[in-house]
Amino acid sequence: MKYAFFLIGIILFIIFLPWLDFSKTLSAGDWPYLYPQNIKAFSFPLSPPFLWVETYYDLTAKLGLQVFHLPWEVIERLFWFFPFLALSVYSSWVFAKRFLKNNPFASLCILIFTTNTYILMMTGGGQMGVAIAYALAPLVFSSLFNMLEVAYQKNLKKLGLLALLLGVQLMFDPRIFLITIFSFFIVFFIYSFMQKKSVFVPLKFGAIVFLGALLLNLFWIFPNLFFFQSEYAIVNSAITVTFYSFANFSNAIGLLQPNWPENLFGKVYFMRPEFLFLPVLAFSSLFFLSKLKKGQMIIPFAMLGLVGIFLSKGTNPPFGELYLVFSKLPGSTLFRDPTKFYILIILSYMLLIPLSLEMILQKVSKSRPIFSILYSLFLLFWLFTIRQAAWHQLTGTFMPQAVPTQYKILNNFLEKKPQATLWIPSYQRFGINTKQNPAYEGSQILDATNSAQLLSIFKTPKAQKTLVENNVAYIIVPFDSRHEIYLNDNKYDPTSKFDIIAKLKTFSWLEEVTEVDPSKKIIIFAVKKE
Protein backbone atom coordinates (compact mmCIF):
# COMPACT_ATOMS: atom_id res chain seq x y z
CA MET A 1 0.00 0.00 0.00
CA LYS A 2 2.84 2.42 0.80
CA TYR A 3 4.29 1.63 -2.64
CA ALA A 4 0.96 2.55 -4.27
CA PHE A 5 0.55 5.83 -2.38
CA PHE A 6 4.15 6.77 -3.09
CA LEU A 7 3.68 6.37 -6.85
CA ILE A 8 0.37 8.24 -6.86
CA GLY A 9 1.94 11.01 -4.79
CA ILE A 10 4.72 11.40 -7.36
CA ILE A 11 2.20 11.59 -10.21
CA LEU A 12 0.12 14.22 -8.40
CA PHE A 13 3.26 16.22 -7.62
CA ILE A 14 4.34 16.17 -11.28
CA ILE A 15 0.93 17.17 -12.66
CA PHE A 16 0.21 19.95 -10.19
CA LEU A 17 3.80 21.19 -9.92
CA PRO A 18 3.01 24.43 -11.85
CA TRP A 19 0.74 25.50 -8.99
CA LEU A 20 3.75 25.69 -6.66
CA ASP A 21 5.28 28.72 -8.39
CA PHE A 22 4.11 31.47 -6.03
CA SER A 23 5.80 34.19 -8.06
CA LYS A 24 3.11 33.85 -10.74
CA THR A 25 -0.66 34.01 -10.70
CA LEU A 26 -2.91 31.13 -11.77
CA SER A 27 -5.39 33.57 -13.31
CA ALA A 28 -6.72 32.06 -16.55
CA GLY A 29 -10.05 31.22 -18.13
CA ASP A 30 -12.79 32.02 -15.63
CA TRP A 31 -10.34 32.57 -12.78
CA PRO A 32 -9.66 36.31 -12.24
CA TYR A 33 -6.76 38.32 -10.93
CA LEU A 34 -7.49 40.65 -8.00
CA TYR A 35 -5.45 43.71 -7.12
CA PRO A 36 -5.56 44.98 -3.51
CA GLN A 37 -7.88 47.77 -4.72
CA ASN A 38 -10.40 45.17 -5.94
CA ILE A 39 -10.37 43.25 -2.67
CA LYS A 40 -10.64 46.34 -0.47
CA ALA A 41 -13.73 47.38 -2.42
CA PHE A 42 -15.59 44.20 -1.42
CA SER A 43 -18.39 45.00 1.03
CA PHE A 44 -20.90 42.97 3.03
CA PRO A 45 -23.64 42.02 2.79
CA LEU A 46 -23.43 41.43 -0.95
CA SER A 47 -25.95 43.11 -3.22
CA PRO A 48 -28.10 40.65 -5.20
CA PRO A 49 -27.89 39.06 -7.63
CA PHE A 50 -24.71 37.27 -6.66
CA LEU A 51 -23.44 33.73 -7.11
CA TRP A 52 -23.74 31.12 -4.38
CA VAL A 53 -19.96 30.97 -3.95
CA GLU A 54 -19.40 34.72 -4.02
CA THR A 55 -19.62 35.18 -0.26
CA TYR A 56 -16.81 32.68 0.33
CA TYR A 57 -14.85 34.25 -2.51
CA ASP A 58 -15.07 37.77 -1.10
CA LEU A 59 -14.53 36.79 2.54
CA THR A 60 -11.42 34.70 1.90
CA ALA A 61 -9.96 37.43 -0.34
CA LYS A 62 -10.39 40.04 2.39
CA LEU A 63 -9.12 37.65 5.05
CA GLY A 64 -5.99 36.88 3.03
CA LEU A 65 -5.24 40.51 2.20
CA GLN A 66 -6.37 42.53 5.20
CA VAL A 67 -5.70 40.03 8.01
CA PHE A 68 -2.72 38.02 6.79
CA HIS A 69 -1.41 40.67 4.32
CA LEU A 70 -0.94 38.10 1.55
CA PRO A 71 -0.66 38.80 -2.19
CA TRP A 72 -3.33 37.39 -4.49
CA GLU A 73 -0.86 34.79 -5.80
CA VAL A 74 -0.87 33.22 -2.31
CA ILE A 75 -4.55 33.83 -1.51
CA GLU A 76 -5.80 32.00 -4.60
CA ARG A 77 -3.72 28.92 -3.76
CA LEU A 78 -4.39 28.96 -0.01
CA PHE A 79 -8.18 29.18 -0.23
CA TRP A 80 -8.95 27.57 -3.61
CA PHE A 81 -6.40 25.50 -5.49
CA PHE A 82 -4.67 23.69 -2.63
CA PRO A 83 -7.99 22.95 -0.84
CA PHE A 84 -9.30 21.48 -4.10
CA LEU A 85 -6.31 19.17 -4.33
CA ALA A 86 -6.40 18.15 -0.66
CA LEU A 87 -10.16 17.57 -0.71
CA SER A 88 -9.96 15.53 -3.93
CA VAL A 89 -7.38 13.19 -2.43
CA TYR A 90 -9.15 12.85 0.93
CA SER A 91 -12.65 12.57 -0.54
CA SER A 92 -11.72 9.90 -3.09
CA TRP A 93 -9.85 7.91 -0.43
CA VAL A 94 -12.93 7.96 1.85
CA PHE A 95 -14.90 6.64 -1.10
CA ALA A 96 -12.31 3.88 -1.66
CA LYS A 97 -12.40 2.79 1.98
CA ARG A 98 -16.20 2.77 1.99
CA PHE A 99 -16.78 0.79 -1.20
CA LEU A 100 -13.45 -0.97 -1.89
CA LYS A 101 -12.40 -2.22 1.51
CA ASN A 102 -9.45 -4.66 1.29
CA ASN A 103 -9.16 -4.12 -2.47
CA PRO A 104 -5.41 -3.78 -3.23
CA PHE A 105 -6.19 -1.35 -6.07
CA ALA A 106 -8.38 0.96 -3.97
CA SER A 107 -5.79 3.76 -4.02
CA LEU A 108 -6.37 4.11 -7.77
CA CYS A 109 -9.57 5.95 -6.85
CA ILE A 110 -7.40 8.93 -5.94
CA LEU A 111 -5.68 8.90 -9.34
CA ILE A 112 -8.85 8.37 -11.37
CA PHE A 113 -10.78 11.05 -9.51
CA THR A 114 -8.09 13.74 -9.23
CA THR A 115 -6.37 13.49 -12.61
CA ASN A 116 -9.01 12.56 -15.19
CA THR A 117 -9.35 14.82 -18.23
CA TYR A 118 -12.66 16.30 -17.06
CA ILE A 119 -11.37 17.77 -13.82
CA LEU A 120 -8.03 18.76 -15.32
CA MET A 121 -9.88 20.83 -17.93
CA MET A 122 -12.20 22.22 -15.25
CA THR A 123 -9.39 23.40 -12.99
CA GLY A 124 -7.29 24.45 -15.98
CA GLY A 125 -10.18 26.69 -17.05
CA GLY A 126 -10.34 28.26 -13.60
CA GLN A 127 -13.84 27.06 -12.66
CA MET A 128 -12.85 26.63 -9.04
CA GLY A 129 -16.29 26.77 -7.45
CA VAL A 130 -17.30 23.80 -9.58
CA ALA A 131 -13.94 22.15 -8.88
CA ILE A 132 -14.26 22.26 -5.08
CA ALA A 133 -17.87 21.05 -5.23
CA TYR A 134 -16.57 18.22 -7.45
CA ALA A 135 -13.80 17.47 -4.93
CA LEU A 136 -16.46 16.95 -2.25
CA ALA A 137 -18.62 14.63 -4.38
CA PRO A 138 -17.14 11.24 -3.31
CA LEU A 139 -17.18 12.32 0.34
CA VAL A 140 -20.83 13.39 0.09
CA PHE A 141 -21.70 10.22 -1.82
CA SER A 142 -20.01 7.97 0.76
CA SER A 143 -21.47 9.89 3.69
CA LEU A 144 -24.98 9.51 2.30
CA PHE A 145 -24.46 5.76 2.16
CA ASN A 146 -23.23 5.80 5.74
CA MET A 147 -26.45 7.62 6.59
CA LEU A 148 -28.30 4.35 5.98
CA GLU A 149 -26.73 3.03 9.17
CA VAL A 150 -26.98 6.37 10.98
CA ALA A 151 -30.65 6.67 10.12
CA TYR A 152 -31.65 3.53 11.96
CA GLN A 153 -29.57 4.63 14.96
CA LYS A 154 -31.14 8.11 14.90
CA ASN A 155 -27.76 9.71 15.54
CA LEU A 156 -28.67 13.38 15.24
CA LYS A 157 -25.08 14.55 15.67
CA LYS A 158 -23.90 12.59 12.62
CA LEU A 159 -26.94 13.70 10.66
CA GLY A 160 -26.10 17.29 11.54
CA LEU A 161 -22.52 16.87 10.34
CA LEU A 162 -23.81 15.33 7.12
CA ALA A 163 -26.15 18.31 6.62
CA LEU A 164 -23.17 20.62 7.13
CA LEU A 165 -21.13 18.69 4.55
CA LEU A 166 -23.95 18.85 2.00
CA GLY A 167 -24.44 22.51 2.80
CA VAL A 168 -20.80 23.29 2.04
CA GLN A 169 -20.99 21.49 -1.31
CA LEU A 170 -24.25 23.29 -2.10
CA MET A 171 -22.56 26.63 -1.38
CA PHE A 172 -19.74 25.97 -3.84
CA ASP A 173 -22.00 24.82 -6.67
CA PRO A 174 -25.70 23.79 -6.49
CA ARG A 175 -25.50 21.96 -9.82
CA ILE A 176 -22.72 19.64 -8.68
CA PHE A 177 -24.59 19.21 -5.40
CA LEU A 178 -27.71 18.05 -7.26
CA ILE A 179 -25.70 15.77 -9.54
CA THR A 180 -24.07 14.15 -6.51
CA ILE A 181 -27.49 13.60 -4.87
CA PHE A 182 -28.78 12.23 -8.17
CA SER A 183 -25.83 9.82 -8.36
CA PHE A 184 -26.50 8.59 -4.85
CA PHE A 185 -30.18 7.93 -5.54
CA ILE A 186 -29.40 5.89 -8.65
CA VAL A 187 -27.03 3.58 -6.77
CA PHE A 188 -29.10 3.59 -3.57
CA PHE A 189 -32.39 2.57 -5.18
CA ILE A 190 -30.84 -0.17 -7.33
CA TYR A 191 -28.82 -1.47 -4.37
CA SER A 192 -31.88 -1.42 -2.07
CA PHE A 193 -33.99 -3.22 -4.66
CA MET A 194 -31.34 -5.93 -5.07
CA GLN A 195 -31.03 -6.31 -1.29
CA LYS A 196 -34.81 -6.18 -0.84
CA LYS A 197 -34.49 -3.38 1.71
CA SER A 198 -37.00 -0.65 2.46
CA VAL A 199 -36.04 2.83 1.31
CA PHE A 200 -38.61 4.84 3.25
CA VAL A 201 -36.84 5.25 6.59
CA PRO A 202 -33.48 6.29 5.04
CA LEU A 203 -35.31 8.67 2.72
CA LYS A 204 -37.02 10.33 5.67
CA PHE A 205 -33.69 11.08 7.30
CA GLY A 206 -32.26 12.02 3.91
CA ALA A 207 -34.98 14.65 3.55
CA ILE A 208 -34.02 16.07 6.95
CA VAL A 209 -30.36 16.29 5.89
CA PHE A 210 -31.32 17.90 2.59
CA LEU A 211 -33.49 20.47 4.37
CA GLY A 212 -30.63 21.22 6.76
CA ALA A 213 -28.29 21.86 3.83
CA LEU A 214 -30.81 24.29 2.32
CA LEU A 215 -31.22 26.15 5.60
CA LEU A 216 -27.46 26.59 5.88
CA ASN A 217 -27.50 28.27 2.47
CA LEU A 218 -30.29 30.75 3.10
CA PHE A 219 -27.67 33.50 3.27
CA TRP A 220 -27.49 33.44 -0.53
CA ILE A 221 -30.76 31.74 -1.47
CA PHE A 222 -33.06 34.26 0.23
CA PRO A 223 -31.45 37.49 -1.14
CA ASN A 224 -31.53 36.08 -4.67
CA LEU A 225 -35.11 34.73 -4.65
CA PHE A 226 -36.48 37.51 -6.85
CA PHE A 227 -33.71 37.11 -9.43
CA PHE A 228 -33.95 33.34 -9.99
CA GLN A 229 -36.77 33.52 -12.54
CA SER A 230 -35.05 36.05 -14.82
CA GLU A 231 -31.70 34.23 -14.61
CA TYR A 232 -33.41 30.91 -15.34
CA ALA A 233 -35.16 32.33 -18.40
CA ILE A 234 -31.81 33.17 -20.00
CA VAL A 235 -30.70 29.53 -20.17
CA ASN A 236 -34.10 27.83 -20.46
CA SER A 237 -33.73 26.91 -24.11
CA ALA A 238 -33.28 23.61 -25.93
CA ILE A 239 -31.07 25.47 -28.40
CA THR A 240 -28.69 26.25 -25.55
CA VAL A 241 -28.60 22.57 -24.58
CA THR A 242 -27.86 21.55 -28.15
CA PHE A 243 -25.13 24.16 -28.46
CA TYR A 244 -23.39 22.95 -25.31
CA SER A 245 -23.55 19.25 -26.23
CA PHE A 246 -19.86 18.97 -27.06
CA ALA A 247 -19.23 15.37 -25.96
CA ASN A 248 -20.26 12.46 -28.16
CA PHE A 249 -20.85 8.87 -27.10
CA SER A 250 -17.20 7.89 -27.58
CA ASN A 251 -15.99 10.82 -25.48
CA ALA A 252 -18.38 10.00 -22.67
CA ILE A 253 -17.79 6.25 -22.46
CA GLY A 254 -14.03 6.81 -22.71
CA LEU A 255 -14.07 9.47 -19.96
CA LEU A 256 -12.41 11.89 -22.38
CA GLN A 257 -13.29 15.55 -21.95
CA PRO A 258 -14.09 16.75 -25.51
CA ASN A 259 -11.87 19.86 -25.26
CA TRP A 260 -8.80 17.91 -24.14
CA PRO A 261 -6.01 18.98 -24.14
CA GLU A 262 -6.11 22.62 -25.36
CA ASN A 263 -9.31 23.46 -23.46
CA LEU A 264 -10.59 25.84 -26.13
CA PHE A 265 -14.31 26.47 -25.80
CA GLY A 266 -16.24 24.76 -28.58
CA LYS A 267 -13.19 23.08 -30.13
CA VAL A 268 -13.84 19.33 -30.03
CA TYR A 269 -10.98 17.00 -30.83
CA PHE A 270 -10.93 13.59 -32.48
CA MET A 271 -11.46 10.59 -30.23
CA ARG A 272 -8.23 9.19 -28.80
CA PRO A 273 -8.52 5.39 -29.06
CA GLU A 274 -6.48 4.68 -25.91
CA PHE A 275 -9.36 5.99 -23.79
CA LEU A 276 -11.64 3.20 -25.01
CA PHE A 277 -9.66 0.77 -22.87
CA LEU A 278 -11.16 2.39 -19.73
CA PRO A 279 -14.79 1.29 -20.33
CA VAL A 280 -13.59 -2.16 -21.42
CA LEU A 281 -11.70 -2.53 -18.16
CA ALA A 282 -14.48 -0.98 -16.06
CA PHE A 283 -17.40 -2.98 -17.42
CA SER A 284 -15.37 -6.21 -17.41
CA SER A 285 -16.23 -6.31 -13.72
CA LEU A 286 -19.74 -7.44 -14.75
CA PHE A 287 -18.25 -10.84 -15.63
CA PHE A 288 -17.10 -11.32 -12.05
CA LEU A 289 -20.33 -10.62 -10.18
CA SER A 290 -20.46 -13.95 -8.35
CA LYS A 291 -16.76 -14.08 -7.51
CA LEU A 292 -16.17 -10.70 -5.90
CA LYS A 293 -17.09 -9.95 -2.31
CA LYS A 294 -18.21 -6.49 -3.39
CA GLY A 295 -20.10 -7.86 -6.37
CA GLN A 296 -23.42 -6.59 -5.05
CA MET A 297 -22.24 -3.03 -5.82
CA ILE A 298 -21.19 -3.71 -9.41
CA ILE A 299 -24.64 -3.52 -11.02
CA PRO A 300 -25.68 -0.26 -9.27
CA PHE A 301 -22.41 1.43 -10.17
CA ALA A 302 -22.47 0.04 -13.73
CA MET A 303 -25.95 1.53 -14.14
CA LEU A 304 -24.67 4.80 -12.71
CA GLY A 305 -21.96 4.83 -15.38
CA LEU A 306 -24.42 4.11 -18.19
CA VAL A 307 -26.75 6.89 -17.05
CA GLY A 308 -23.76 9.24 -16.88
CA ILE A 309 -22.65 8.29 -20.39
CA PHE A 310 -26.12 8.93 -21.78
CA LEU A 311 -26.51 12.31 -20.07
CA SER A 312 -22.94 13.53 -20.72
CA LYS A 313 -23.31 13.31 -24.49
CA GLY A 314 -26.31 15.63 -24.37
CA THR A 315 -28.31 15.77 -27.57
CA ASN A 316 -25.75 13.79 -29.59
CA PRO A 317 -26.70 10.29 -30.83
CA PRO A 318 -27.68 7.68 -29.93
CA PHE A 319 -31.08 8.71 -28.58
CA GLY A 320 -30.15 12.36 -28.30
CA GLU A 321 -33.83 13.23 -28.72
CA LEU A 322 -34.48 11.86 -25.23
CA TYR A 323 -32.05 14.37 -23.77
CA LEU A 324 -34.10 17.15 -25.38
CA VAL A 325 -37.08 15.82 -23.43
CA PHE A 326 -34.99 15.83 -20.26
CA SER A 327 -33.85 19.40 -21.01
CA LYS A 328 -37.45 20.59 -20.84
CA LEU A 329 -37.85 19.50 -17.22
CA PRO A 330 -37.92 22.45 -14.78
CA GLY A 331 -34.39 23.51 -13.92
CA SER A 332 -32.61 20.98 -16.15
CA THR A 333 -31.16 23.55 -18.56
CA LEU A 334 -29.45 25.35 -15.70
CA PHE A 335 -26.75 22.70 -16.11
CA ARG A 336 -26.20 23.92 -19.69
CA ASP A 337 -23.00 21.94 -20.26
CA PRO A 338 -23.92 18.21 -20.16
CA THR A 339 -20.29 17.23 -19.45
CA LYS A 340 -21.01 18.00 -15.78
CA PHE A 341 -22.62 14.55 -15.79
CA TYR A 342 -19.14 13.11 -16.28
CA ILE A 343 -19.17 12.98 -12.47
CA LEU A 344 -21.52 9.97 -12.69
CA ILE A 345 -19.07 8.18 -15.00
CA ILE A 346 -16.11 9.04 -12.77
CA LEU A 347 -17.82 7.72 -9.63
CA SER A 348 -18.74 4.57 -11.54
CA TYR A 349 -15.26 3.91 -12.93
CA MET A 350 -13.69 4.63 -9.54
CA LEU A 351 -15.34 1.46 -8.27
CA LEU A 352 -15.52 -0.71 -11.38
CA ILE A 353 -11.88 -0.39 -12.51
CA PRO A 354 -10.31 -1.45 -9.17
CA LEU A 355 -12.77 -4.35 -8.96
CA SER A 356 -11.82 -5.55 -12.45
CA LEU A 357 -8.12 -5.29 -11.63
CA GLU A 358 -8.67 -7.21 -8.39
CA MET A 359 -10.30 -10.05 -10.28
CA ILE A 360 -7.52 -10.11 -12.88
CA LEU A 361 -5.03 -10.34 -10.03
CA GLN A 362 -6.92 -13.26 -8.52
CA LYS A 363 -6.98 -15.02 -11.89
CA VAL A 364 -3.24 -14.59 -12.49
CA SER A 365 -1.61 -14.66 -9.09
CA LYS A 366 -2.05 -12.98 -5.72
CA SER A 367 1.69 -12.58 -5.24
CA ARG A 368 3.13 -9.14 -4.46
CA PRO A 369 5.35 -9.02 -7.61
CA ILE A 370 2.34 -9.66 -9.87
CA PHE A 371 0.34 -7.00 -8.02
CA SER A 372 3.19 -4.51 -8.43
CA ILE A 373 3.46 -5.23 -12.14
CA LEU A 374 -0.31 -4.94 -12.72
CA TYR A 375 -0.54 -1.77 -10.63
CA SER A 376 2.41 -0.19 -12.43
CA LEU A 377 1.02 -1.11 -15.84
CA PHE A 378 -2.23 0.71 -15.09
CA LEU A 379 -0.34 3.75 -13.81
CA LEU A 380 1.73 3.82 -17.00
CA PHE A 381 -1.40 3.50 -19.11
CA TRP A 382 -3.14 6.28 -17.17
CA LEU A 383 -0.10 8.52 -17.50
CA PHE A 384 -0.10 7.87 -21.24
CA THR A 385 -3.73 9.02 -21.51
CA ILE A 386 -2.97 12.28 -19.64
CA ARG A 387 0.58 12.68 -20.93
CA GLN A 388 0.00 16.34 -21.83
CA ALA A 389 -0.57 17.05 -18.13
CA ALA A 390 2.47 15.06 -17.05
CA TRP A 391 4.65 16.88 -19.61
CA HIS A 392 3.25 20.28 -18.55
CA GLN A 393 1.71 21.01 -21.93
CA LEU A 394 -1.65 22.12 -20.53
CA THR A 395 -2.61 25.80 -20.60
CA GLY A 396 -4.78 27.89 -18.31
CA THR A 397 -4.04 27.61 -14.61
CA PHE A 398 -1.42 24.96 -15.40
CA MET A 399 0.58 27.69 -17.10
CA PRO A 400 1.01 30.36 -14.39
CA GLN A 401 2.04 33.83 -15.51
CA ALA A 402 3.48 36.84 -13.71
CA VAL A 403 1.46 40.03 -14.04
CA PRO A 404 3.02 41.87 -17.01
CA THR A 405 4.97 44.98 -16.04
CA GLN A 406 2.99 46.97 -18.58
CA TYR A 407 -0.22 46.41 -16.61
CA LYS A 408 1.37 47.33 -13.30
CA ILE A 409 2.48 50.64 -14.83
CA LEU A 410 -0.95 51.19 -16.43
CA ASN A 411 -2.76 50.53 -13.16
CA ASN A 412 -0.51 52.93 -11.27
CA PHE A 413 -1.24 55.54 -13.92
CA LEU A 414 -5.03 55.01 -13.78
CA GLU A 415 -5.17 54.97 -9.99
CA LYS A 416 -4.24 58.64 -9.94
CA LYS A 417 -7.18 59.45 -12.21
CA PRO A 418 -10.66 58.47 -10.95
CA GLN A 419 -12.06 57.97 -14.44
CA ALA A 420 -13.42 55.09 -16.51
CA THR A 421 -11.79 53.19 -19.38
CA LEU A 422 -13.22 51.51 -22.46
CA TRP A 423 -11.43 48.35 -23.64
CA ILE A 424 -11.43 47.26 -27.28
CA PRO A 425 -12.09 44.51 -28.25
CA SER A 426 -12.52 43.34 -24.63
CA TYR A 427 -11.26 43.81 -21.11
CA GLN A 428 -7.97 42.09 -20.22
CA ARG A 429 -7.74 40.16 -16.95
CA PHE A 430 -4.75 42.16 -15.64
CA GLY A 431 -6.39 45.54 -16.13
CA ILE A 432 -7.84 47.44 -13.20
CA ASN A 433 -11.60 47.52 -12.71
CA THR A 434 -12.85 49.22 -9.53
CA LYS A 435 -15.56 51.67 -8.54
CA GLN A 436 -13.01 54.43 -8.87
CA ASN A 437 -11.71 53.17 -12.23
CA PRO A 438 -14.51 51.18 -13.90
CA ALA A 439 -13.51 49.27 -17.02
CA TYR A 440 -16.16 49.01 -19.73
CA GLU A 441 -16.60 46.94 -22.85
CA GLY A 442 -18.53 48.14 -25.89
CA SER A 443 -21.73 46.27 -25.05
CA GLN A 444 -22.00 48.05 -21.69
CA ILE A 445 -22.28 51.65 -22.85
CA LEU A 446 -22.50 51.73 -26.65
CA ASP A 447 -24.62 48.65 -27.42
CA ALA A 448 -21.91 47.00 -29.51
CA THR A 449 -21.31 43.25 -29.32
CA ASN A 450 -17.97 43.27 -31.14
CA SER A 451 -15.15 45.62 -32.10
CA ALA A 452 -16.41 46.09 -35.67
CA GLN A 453 -19.79 47.39 -34.43
CA LEU A 454 -18.08 49.58 -31.85
CA LEU A 455 -15.76 51.18 -34.39
CA SER A 456 -18.72 51.77 -36.66
CA ILE A 457 -20.52 53.58 -33.81
CA PHE A 458 -17.38 55.70 -33.28
CA LYS A 459 -18.08 57.27 -36.66
CA THR A 460 -21.34 58.74 -35.37
CA PRO A 461 -21.53 62.06 -33.46
CA LYS A 462 -23.05 60.41 -30.39
CA ALA A 463 -20.00 58.23 -29.65
CA GLN A 464 -17.76 60.91 -28.17
CA LYS A 465 -20.67 62.41 -26.23
CA THR A 466 -21.69 59.04 -24.77
CA LEU A 467 -18.15 58.27 -23.64
CA VAL A 468 -17.74 61.67 -21.98
CA GLU A 469 -21.11 61.31 -20.24
CA ASN A 470 -19.94 57.97 -18.83
CA ASN A 471 -16.72 59.54 -17.60
CA VAL A 472 -14.61 57.45 -20.01
CA ALA A 473 -11.23 59.14 -20.16
CA TYR A 474 -9.24 56.49 -22.03
CA ILE A 475 -9.76 53.85 -24.68
CA ILE A 476 -7.41 50.90 -24.24
CA VAL A 477 -6.36 48.29 -26.79
CA PRO A 478 -4.95 45.58 -24.50
CA PHE A 479 -1.77 43.56 -24.51
CA ASP A 480 -3.07 39.99 -24.84
CA SER A 481 -0.52 38.32 -22.57
CA ARG A 482 -2.51 35.07 -22.37
CA HIS A 483 -3.48 34.89 -26.04
CA GLU A 484 -7.20 34.75 -25.30
CA ILE A 485 -8.53 37.96 -26.88
CA TYR A 486 -7.20 38.19 -30.44
CA LEU A 487 -8.34 34.84 -31.76
CA ASN A 488 -9.13 33.68 -35.27
CA ASP A 489 -10.55 30.17 -35.58
CA ASN A 490 -9.35 29.44 -32.01
CA LYS A 491 -5.80 30.51 -32.88
CA TYR A 492 -3.98 33.57 -31.68
CA ASP A 493 -3.94 36.21 -34.43
CA PRO A 494 -2.72 39.71 -33.45
CA THR A 495 -3.51 41.20 -36.87
CA SER A 496 -6.97 42.23 -35.62
CA LYS A 497 -5.27 44.33 -32.93
CA PHE A 498 -3.33 46.28 -35.53
CA ASP A 499 -6.52 46.89 -37.52
CA ILE A 500 -8.26 48.28 -34.42
CA ILE A 501 -5.36 50.59 -33.66
CA ALA A 502 -5.20 51.88 -37.22
CA LYS A 503 -8.92 52.72 -37.23
CA LEU A 504 -8.81 54.40 -33.82
CA LYS A 505 -6.06 56.70 -35.07
CA THR A 506 -8.42 58.08 -37.72
CA PHE A 507 -10.78 59.65 -35.16
CA SER A 508 -9.90 63.27 -34.43
CA TRP A 509 -11.48 63.19 -30.96
CA LEU A 510 -8.96 60.54 -29.82
CA GLU A 511 -5.36 61.27 -28.94
CA GLU A 512 -2.79 58.50 -28.48
CA VAL A 513 -1.00 58.42 -25.11
CA THR A 514 2.52 57.01 -25.48
CA GLU A 515 4.23 57.86 -22.19
CA VAL A 516 2.43 55.15 -20.14
CA ASP A 517 3.74 52.15 -22.07
CA PRO A 518 6.75 52.98 -24.26
CA SER A 519 6.87 49.34 -25.38
CA LYS A 520 3.52 49.97 -27.13
CA LYS A 521 2.15 46.59 -26.11
CA ILE A 522 -0.77 48.41 -24.53
CA ILE A 523 -2.15 51.15 -26.76
CA ILE A 524 -3.97 54.00 -25.00
CA PHE A 525 -6.08 56.76 -26.49
CA ALA A 526 -7.32 59.75 -24.48
CA VAL A 527 -10.90 60.87 -25.18
CA LYS A 528 -11.10 64.59 -25.87
CA LYS A 529 -13.98 66.30 -24.09
CA GLU A 530 -14.61 68.81 -26.83
Side-chain angles (χ1 to χ4, degrees), residues 236-251:
N236 188 24
S237 167
I239 296 177
T240 300
V241 173
T242 303
F243 176 77
Y244 281 98
S245 294
F246 298 126
N248 56 37
F249 178 78
S250 298
N251 295 140

Side-chain angles (χ1 to χ4, degrees), residues 216-270:
L216 289 171
N217 282 270
L218 285 180
F219 69 91
W220 67 264
I221 294 176
F222 185 75
N224 285 285
L225 277 176
F226 298 104
F227 296 92
F228 287 155
Q229 185 173 359
S230 59
E231 293 298 318
Y232 171 70
I234 296 174
V235 295
N236 188 24
S237 167
I239 296 177
T240 300
V241 173
T242 303
F243 176 77
Y244 281 98
S245 294
F246 298 126
N248 56 37
F249 178 78
S250 298
N251 295 140
I253 198 171
L255 192 54
L256 172 62
Q257 210 277 354
N259 303 129
W260 177 267
E262 290 186 50
N263 209 14
L264 295 174
F265 180 79
K267 185 176 181 179
V268 179
Y269 294 79
F270 291 112

Side-chain angles (χ1 to χ4, degrees), residues 47 75 93 98 122 131 133 136 145 160 205 264-265 305-306 314 329 340 346 370 375 381 386 404 425 429 509 511:
S47 300
I75 294 172
W93 180 236
R98 174 63 181 81
M122 190 66 62
L136 290 168
F145 254 91
F205 285 93
L264 295 174
F265 180 79
L306 291 175
L329 296 176
K340 287 183 175 65
I346 294 164
I370 297 299
Y375 196 96
F381 164 74
I386 60 168
R429 67 179 60 252
W509 50 274
E511 181 179 359

Side-chain angles (χ1 to χ4, degrees), residues 28-32 80-81 84 118-119 121-134 172-173 175-176 257 259 263 265 336-337 339-340 397:
D30 292 341
W31 188 248
W80 291 93
F81 288 85
F84 155 75
Y118 170 77
I119 193 56
M121 293 292 91
M122 190 66 62
T123 54
Q127 300 181 47
M128 295 310 298
V130 175
I132 294 184
Y134 167 92
F172 278 103
D173 196 283
R175 299 162 299 182
I176 304 302
Q257 210 277 354
N259 303 129
N263 209 14
F265 180 79
R336 294 196 303 175
D337 181 1
T339 59
K340 287 183 175 65
T397 67

Side-chain angles (χ1 to χ4, degrees), residues 264 483-496:
L264 295 174
H483 292 184
E484 56 191 354
I485 297 176
Y486 307 113
L487 299 178
N488 183 11
D489 194 23
N490 289 319
K491 294 181 180 179
Y492 179 65
D493 181 12
T495 56
S496 60

Side-chain angles (χ1 to χ4, degrees), residues 441-450 453-454 457 462:
E441 294 184 350
S443 58
Q444 294 174 283
I445 56 176
L446 286 171
D447 196 26
T449 58
N450 55 58
Q453 290 181 2
L454 186 59
I457 293 173
K462 74 170 186 177

Side-chain angles (χ1 to χ4, degrees), residues 9-26 73-74 76-78 81-83 85-86 392 397-401:
I10 290 176
I11 293 173
L12 293 179
F13 177 78
I14 292 173
I15 291 174
F16 296 100
L17 179 61
W19 290 2
L20 296 178
D21 186 355
F22 286 85
S23 66
K24 299 176 181 178
T25 177
L26 301 177
E73 288 81 354
V74 176
E76 61 185 353
R77 289 165 169 84
L78 183 63
F81 288 85
F82 290 167
L85 191 54
H392 297 164
T397 67
F398 292 100
M399 190 179 289
Q401 182 183 87

